[in-house]
Amino acid sequence: DRKYYDRRSTEDKALALFQQVLVLDPDGKLGTTEYGKDKVTYTEYAEYNIAAITIFAEKRNPEPMKAFIKKYPESKILENAYSYLSSYYRFSGTKEEATAFFNEYVSKYPDNPYALNAYVERIIRDKENIDRGIELAEKIKEIMKYNEDPYFTKNLGQLYCLKGTPEKA
């Protein structure tokens, strides 16, 4: 199953195999697999990958990843689950849904510059809540002060331009 998923060209086969894992071990009691330095049950890993496949499918669906996050709030995969879900909300969903998600995401990972930047990108896209975007972008700047990323700096500049203060950009 992992082999198919890693190849990305055969996601339907991978999805079917991950679903078979859930049939064979619905309660997650038959073993674990490595996830980085950690171990997770085969079932948890399968549910995560099913959610990841559906979030990037042609008809993107965030619901399986939202269900994964709710079911596994202490998962070793949780930060990646939020990251995948942020890729959905950066470009999709209503402003209200995206705002609710990103507020949850950045409150859970307040020092993760990539989490903060995902929210900044949605704010730039919507051209609303600019002050919140500037607050987040300035926090990213502080977090990354020893290893600045021009992309993050560009986003801060865009926010200042949207606010009408291009001299700060």
Side-chain angles (χ1 to χ4, degrees), residues 25-66:
D25 187 17
D27 299 321
K29 295 181 180 179
L30 297 181
T32 60
T33 188
E34 292 180 8
Y35 186 81
K37 296 177 184 176
D38 299 305
K39 291 192 179 290
V40 296
T41 68
Y42 291 127
T43 303
E44 181 179 346
Y45 187 75
E47 288 181 45
Y48 168 74
N49 281 289
I50 289 168
I53 290 169
T54 60
I55 211 161
F56 293 112
E58 188 175 330
K59 292 184 179 181
R60 297 171 52 121
N61 181 1
E63 296 308 315
M65 194 61 81
K66 289 164 64 175

Side-chain angles (χ1 to χ4, degrees), residues 6 17 46 52 83 123 126:
D6 288 345
L17 292 171
S83 178
I123 289 169
D126 291 340

